[in-house]
Amino acid sequence: MPLKKIILHRLMMRMIDPFATSFGTMQDKEFFIIEALDTDGNRGFGESVSFPIPWYTEETVKSNKDIIEDFLIPILRDNEIEHPNEVFPLFGRLRGNNMAKAAIEGAIWDLYAKREGIPLATALGGEKTEIDVGISIGIQPTMDALLTKIDGFLSQGYKRIKLKIKPGHDVEMLREVRKAFPTTPIMADANSAYTLDDIAMLKQLDDLNLLMIEQPLQHNDIIDHAKLQKEIQTPICLDESIHSLYDAQKAIELGSCKIINIKVGRVGGLSESIKIHDYCKEHGIPVWCGGMLEAGVGRAHNVAITTLSNFVLPGDTAGSSRYWEKDIIKPEVVVEDGVIKVPTSPGIGYEIDEEALEEFRIQKIEYDL
Ligand code: OSB
Ligand code: MG
């Protein structure tokens, strides 16, 4: 691929509602859109999903910029790339920094699919024409507010509800929700808020018929999760602990989880996501696509990867309007009856809304390749 230039667009967007988890509350989202240009005038787009504060993983918006500028751009300058599958191995000499790597790789995948004239989903080997989606609801100030939120999202058609939990806001809250919504597919996400000392509480969740509990224990752990999974019936889904195919293999071998949440940024990109997907499929482990409160570009990538066949559980890829007054793509991602129709035009299948990009942009940096 005749790569010509990489552009970093640093954006600041305000979410309609604050999003509260066990690790903190977010409303203003600062992130990068990465644009990859070739010498033929094609433009591919990726999105970096790191947050300004390193409370989900160790990466930050600033660390992403440094890694991209100091290491990833020089690698792109020094190497010819025929296919996007070559990008992650080229970056492989550098440890970690998966979100920085994934943002660049994602832009190159989009560029590749556009050059081939095929949808990104097709380029990735996906076959679904529409995907099922659920919704992740942050911790709410009151029980009434929470029940109203759930009701509203169910009437919009979302196929499963994910509720954030933390110590003191867990089993009783979930019991009340289960009472109000006896048959709704519900799951809980702890974002690493518990330890094995909390096993008595975690066992009580078994009565609530939850689809799964996501990342109850420490963010890099697979040992204690294996111990916990032996003690509880609720399937454990790992999020934070899985950074690579290697992690997925070890977690499955140990019995640390029965389900895996794949986030493209967390695992270093689409190529590694496909590998994890394939390995999980061979080993009978269902996967679903997690979210990082993405704007339209990252959202479009999530839609594309979810078209692979083992994404059998509804993901967190909600519609643009759940987060943003105005998104940066045209059309926006729309959810109807709990499904998103997969776009059929080349690449990510959504156009960049150039006016919106400019409106939200706080910095633009260009790197010639
Ligand atoms: O743990 O899945 C998570 C948001 C920010 C950081 C971590 C997580 C989340 C979500 C929201 O659950 C998913 C989304 O709607 O994008
Ligand atoms: Mg999670």
Side-chain angles (χ1 to χ4, degrees):
M1 291 164 79
L3 291 174
K4 186 178 171 210
K5 195 187 273 225
I6 296 284
I7 305 176
L8 261 57
H9 305 267
R10 190 184 204 129
L11 269 57
M12 179 70 95
M13 288 171 73
R14 191 169 179 82
M15 289 191 290
I16 295 169
D17 284 325
F19 190 85
T21 71
S22 62
F23 57 67
T25 301
M26 294 175 270
Q27 184 157 25
D28 291 308
K29 189 152 198 249
E30 186 187 348
F31 62 99
F32 285 111
I33 292 297
I34 313 293
E35 180 174 352
L37 295 96
D38 68 10
T39 54
D40 304 318
N42 298 297
R43 303 160 73 206
F45 292 91
E47 182 171 326
S48 170
V49 299
S50 61
F51 299 124
I53 304 171
W55 50 18
Y56 169 77
T57 66
E58 75 289 353
E59 292 183 84
T60 67
V61 176
K62 276 191 194 160
S63 77
N64 278 189
K65 185 209 164 242
D66 283 352
I67 291 292
I68 289 171
E69 185 169 296
D70 296 348
F71 301 108
L72 305 185
I73 296 284
I75 289 174
L76 294 182
R77 285 192 183 126
D78 287 350
N79 292 277
E80 279 299 317
I81 292 160
E82 293 290 324
H83 189 279
N85 276 333
E86 296 159 22
V87 176
F88 187 66
L90 280 176
F91 292 164
R93 275 172 292 154
L94 308 171
R95 299 261 164 93
N97 296 287
N98 281 345
M99 293 174 183
K101 293 173 180 174
I104 297 279
E105 192 233 35
I108 293 175
W109 266 107
D110 180 32
L111 184 66
Y112 168 80
K114 283 170 175 159
R115 289 176 60 84
E116 296 290 310
I118 57 174
L120 177 60
T122 308
L124 300 175
E127 282 161 12
K128 294 182 220 168
T129 57
E130 53 179 45
I131 61 162
D132 288 345
V133 292
I135 191 140
S136 175
I137 303 178
I139 294 166
Q140 299 297 311
T142 64
M143 198 63 207
D144 275 354
L146 176 59
L147 295 175
T148 306
K149 274 251 143 83
I150 296 173
D151 207 42
F153 287 130
L154 288 176
S155 58
Q156 290 175 40
Y158 285 101
K159 298 211 171 189
R160 70 101 172 95
I161 300 289
K162 166 167 140 182
L163 301 172
K164 293 289 186 179
I165 57 171
K166 64 175 183 181
H169 181 81
D170 42 43
V171 65
E172 271 173 51
M173 178 277 287
L174 290 166
R175 257 193 216 121
E176 279 197 53
V177 172
R178 178 48 88 209
K179 211 191 287 167
F181 301 94
T183 59
T184 298
I186 295 171
M187 60 174 288
D189 185 0
N191 289 109
S192 304
Y194 299 95
T195 70
L196 284 180
D197 292 342
D198 299 303
I199 203 151
M201 185 286 291
L202 293 162
K203 276 185 179 175
Q204 290 181 55
L205 302 182
D206 282 347
D207 298 334
L208 297 175
N209 190 26
L210 301 180
L211 281 178
M212 69 194 90
I213 178 165
E214 187 178 343
Q215 196 72 33
L217 309 178
Q218 144 125 1
H219 70 96
N220 267 332
D221 168 79
I222 55 173
I223 306 285
D224 283 359
H225 280 99
K227 291 182 189 160
L228 176 63
Q229 186 66 91
K230 288 192 182 71
E231 301 289 323
I232 64 173
Q233 256 120 53
T234 309
I236 293 176
C237 169
L238 288 178
D239 173 353
E240 282 91 331
S241 292
I242 306 295
H243 312 94
S244 60
L245 173 62
Y246 178 92
D247 287 348
Q249 288 168 334
K250 299 303 156 190
I252 291 168
E253 192 179 316
L254 279 176
S256 318
C257 64
K258 295 181 177 167
I259 299 169
I260 287 180
N261 159 341
I262 295 181
K263 286 186 187 170
V264 178
R266 197 190 64 231
V267 304
L270 291 163
S271 298
E272 189 76 356
S273 297
I274 295 169
K275 287 189 182 167
I276 296 172
H277 164 275
D278 293 351
Y279 186 85
C280 287
K281 187 172 178 178
E282 283 162 27
H283 290 79
I285 301 289
V287 305
W288 55 276
C289 184
M292 290 288 281
L293 311 168
E294 288 92 345
V297 170
R299 199 159 296 285
H301 283 267
N302 290 345
V303 170
I305 192 73
T306 306
T307 62
L308 274 65
S309 60
N310 193 38
F311 281 84
V312 289
L313 295 159
D316 277 347
T317 310
S320 298
S321 66
R322 179 260 185 279
Y323 310 86
W324 315 111
E325 215 62 80
K326 176 160 92 179
D327 204 342
I328 54 167
I329 51 166
K330 286 188 295 198
E332 300 197 336
V333 175
V334 176
V335 171
E336 236 174 21
D337 298 326
V339 305
I340 295 171
K341 292 212 165 62
V342 180
T344 52
S345 49
I348 58 174
Y350 301 86
E351 296 293 322
I352 298 298
D353 181 337
E354 304 288 348
E355 270 174 35
L357 187 73
E358 223 170 283
E359 179 185 339
F360 300 126
R361 188 167 55 209
I362 55 175
Q363 189 184 14
K364 181 178 173 182
I365 316 172
E366 305 200 15
Y367 303 96
D368 289 326
L369 298 181

PDB file of all heavy atoms in Angstrom, residues 177-189:
ATOM      1  N   VAL A 177     -33.678  -4.720  40.322  1.00  0.00           N
ATOM      2  CA  VAL A 177     -33.820  -4.643  38.862  1.00  0.00           C
ATOM      3  C   VAL A 177     -34.433  -5.946  38.344  1.00  0.00           C
ATOM      4  O   VAL A 177     -35.339  -5.940  37.503  1.00  0.00           O
ATOM      5  CB  VAL A 177     -32.460  -4.369  38.186  1.00  0.00           C
ATOM      6  CG1 VAL A 177     -32.588  -4.483  36.674  1.00  0.00           C
ATOM      7  CG2 VAL A 177     -31.938  -2.991  38.572  1.00  0.00           C
ATOM      8  N   ARG A 178     -33.948  -7.073  38.869  1.00  0.00           N
ATOM      9  CA  ARG A 178     -34.476  -8.366  38.420  1.00  0.00           C
ATOM     10  C   ARG A 178     -35.970  -8.487  38.732  1.00  0.00           C
ATOM     11  O   ARG A 178     -36.745  -9.011  37.934  1.00  0.00           O
ATOM     12  CB  ARG A 178     -33.657  -9.494  39.058  1.00  0.00           C
ATOM     13  CG  ARG A 178     -34.114 -10.897  38.723  1.00  0.00           C
ATOM     14  CD  ARG A 178     -34.349 -11.097  37.239  1.00  0.00           C
ATOM     15  NE  ARG A 178     -33.198 -11.511  36.472  1.00  0.00           N
ATOM     16  CZ  ARG A 178     -33.036 -11.215  35.174  1.00  0.00           C
ATOM     17  NH1 ARG A 178     -33.928 -10.462  34.524  1.00  0.00           N
ATOM     18  NH2 ARG A 178     -32.002 -11.655  34.506  1.00  0.00           N
ATOM     19  N   LYS A 179     -36.375  -7.929  39.890  1.00  0.00           N
ATOM     20  CA  LYS A 179     -37.789  -7.971  40.269  1.00  0.00           C
ATOM     21  C   LYS A 179     -38.626  -7.169  39.265  1.00  0.00           C
ATOM     22  O   LYS A 179     -39.694  -7.591  38.843  1.00  0.00           O
ATOM     23  CB  LYS A 179     -37.977  -7.402  41.683  1.00  0.00           C
ATOM     24  CG  LYS A 179     -39.136  -8.057  42.420  1.00  0.00           C
ATOM     25  CD  LYS A 179     -39.510  -7.334  43.698  1.00  0.00           C
ATOM     26  CE  LYS A 179     -38.510  -7.515  44.832  1.00  0.00           C
ATOM     27  NZ  LYS A 179     -38.753  -6.552  45.938  1.00  0.00           N
ATOM     28  N   ALA A 180     -38.106  -6.021  38.867  1.00  0.00           N
ATOM     29  CA  ALA A 180     -38.846  -5.145  37.942  1.00  0.00           C
ATOM     30  C   ALA A 180     -38.815  -5.678  36.508  1.00  0.00           C
ATOM     31  O   ALA A 180     -39.730  -5.417  35.729  1.00  0.00           O
ATOM     32  CB  ALA A 180     -38.261  -3.739  37.996  1.00  0.00           C
ATOM     33  N   PHE A 181     -37.741  -6.404  36.169  1.00  0.00           N
ATOM     34  CA  PHE A 181     -37.594  -6.928  34.799  1.00  0.00           C
ATOM     35  C   PHE A 181     -37.258  -8.425  34.859  1.00  0.00           C
ATOM     36  O   PHE A 181     -36.115  -8.825  34.646  1.00  0.00           O
ATOM     37  CB  PHE A 181     -36.486  -6.168  34.050  1.00  0.00           C
ATOM     38  CG  PHE A 181     -36.738  -4.681  33.945  1.00  0.00           C
ATOM     39  CD1 PHE A 181     -36.197  -3.798  34.881  1.00  0.00           C
ATOM     40  CD2 PHE A 181     -37.521  -4.165  32.920  1.00  0.00           C
ATOM     41  CE1 PHE A 181     -36.425  -2.434  34.791  1.00  0.00           C
ATOM     42  CE2 PHE A 181     -37.761  -2.794  32.819  1.00  0.00           C
ATOM     43  CZ  PHE A 181     -37.208  -1.933  33.764  1.00  0.00           C
ATOM     44  N   PRO A 182     -38.297  -9.257  35.141  1.00  0.00           N
ATOM     45  CA  PRO A 182     -38.036 -10.672  35.448  1.00  0.00           C
ATOM     46  C   PRO A 182     -37.393 -11.461  34.302  1.00  0.00           C
ATOM     47  O   PRO A 182     -36.682 -12.428  34.564  1.00  0.00           O
ATOM     48  CB  PRO A 182     -39.422 -11.237  35.768  1.00  0.00           C
ATOM     49  CG  PRO A 182     -40.351 -10.078  35.860  1.00  0.00           C
ATOM     50  CD  PRO A 182     -39.714  -8.895  35.216  1.00  0.00           C
ATOM     51  N   THR A 183     -37.634 -11.078  33.039  1.00  0.00           N
ATOM     52  CA  THR A 183     -37.151 -11.921  31.940  1.00  0.00           C
ATOM     53  C   THR A 183     -36.110 -11.242  31.049  1.00  0.00           C
ATOM     54  O   THR A 183     -35.634 -11.833  30.091  1.00  0.00           O
ATOM     55  CB  THR A 183     -38.343 -12.358  31.040  1.00  0.00           C
ATOM     56  OG1 THR A 183     -38.980 -11.180  30.541  1.00  0.00           O
ATOM     57  CG2 THR A 183     -39.341 -13.187  31.823  1.00  0.00           C
ATOM     58  N   THR A 184     -35.770  -9.999  31.357  1.00  0.00           N
ATOM     59  CA  THR A 184     -34.809  -9.258  30.526  1.00  0.00           C
ATOM     60  C   THR A 184     -33.408  -9.858  30.657  1.00  0.00           C
ATOM     61  O   THR A 184     -32.968 -10.162  31.759  1.00  0.00           O
ATOM     62  CB  THR A 184     -34.780  -7.784  30.982  1.00  0.00           C
ATOM     63  OG1 THR A 184     -36.079  -7.235  30.792  1.00  0.00           O
ATOM     64  CG2 THR A 184     -33.764  -6.971  30.197  1.00  0.00           C
ATOM     65  N   PRO A 185     -32.690 -10.035  29.529  1.00  0.00           N
ATOM     66  CA  PRO A 185     -31.288 -10.458  29.637  1.00  0.00           C
ATOM     67  C   PRO A 185     -30.460  -9.347  30.306  1.00  0.00           C
ATOM     68  O   PRO A 185     -30.323  -8.255  29.764  1.00  0.00           O
ATOM     69  CB  PRO A 185     -30.861 -10.670  28.173  1.00  0.00           C
ATOM     70  CG  PRO A 185     -32.146 -10.842  27.410  1.00  0.00           C
ATOM     71  CD  PRO A 185     -33.146  -9.984  28.127  1.00  0.00           C
ATOM     72  N   ILE A 186     -29.958  -9.660  31.497  1.00  0.00           N
ATOM     73  CA  ILE A 186     -29.217  -8.677  32.295  1.00  0.00           C
ATOM     74  C   ILE A 186     -27.841  -9.249  32.651  1.00  0.00           C
ATOM     75  O   ILE A 186     -27.712 -10.441  32.919  1.00  0.00           O
ATOM     76  CB  ILE A 186     -29.967  -8.349  33.615  1.00  0.00           C
ATOM     77  CG1 ILE A 186     -31.307  -7.666  33.315  1.00  0.00           C
ATOM     78  CG2 ILE A 186     -29.120  -7.462  34.538  1.00  0.00           C
ATOM     79  CD1 ILE A 186     -32.192  -7.502  34.536  1.00  0.00           C
ATOM     80  N   MET A 187     -26.838  -8.405  32.629  1.00  0.00           N
ATOM     81  CA  MET A 187     -25.506  -8.783  33.109  1.00  0.00           C
ATOM     82  C   MET A 187     -24.943  -7.657  33.955  1.00  0.00           C
ATOM     83  O   MET A 187     -25.471  -6.544  33.935  1.00  0.00           O
ATOM     84  CB  MET A 187     -24.573  -9.082  31.938  1.00  0.00           C
ATOM     85  CG  MET A 187     -24.383  -7.907  31.000  1.00  0.00           C
ATOM     86  SD  MET A 187     -23.139  -8.194  29.715  1.00  0.00           S
ATOM     87  CE  MET A 187     -21.624  -8.147  30.681  1.00  0.00           C
ATOM     88  N   ALA A 188     -23.880  -7.956  34.701  1.00  0.00           N
ATOM     89  CA  ALA A 188     -23.251  -6.948  35.555  1.00  0.00           C
ATOM     90  C   ALA A 188     -21.776  -6.827  35.189  1.00  0.00           C
ATOM     91  O   ALA A 188     -21.141  -7.800  34.811  1.00  0.00           O
ATOM     92  CB  ALA A 188     -23.396  -7.346  37.018  1.00  0.00           C
ATOM     93  N   ASP A 189     -21.239  -5.604  35.302  1.00  0.00           N
ATOM     94  CA  ASP A 189     -19.818  -5.350  35.030  1.00  0.00           C
ATOM     95  C   ASP A 189     -19.210  -4.633  36.228  1.00  0.00           C
ATOM     96  O   ASP A 189     -19.627  -3.532  36.571  1.00  0.00           O
ATOM     97  CB  ASP A 189     -19.668  -4.496  33.764  1.00  0.00           C
ATOM     98  CG  ASP A 189     -18.207  -4.298  33.354  1.00  0.00           C
ATOM     99  OD1 ASP A 189     -17.314  -4.818  34.039  1.00  0.00           O
ATOM    100  OD2 ASP A 189     -17.980  -3.614  32.332  1.00  0.00           O
TER     101      ASP A 189
END
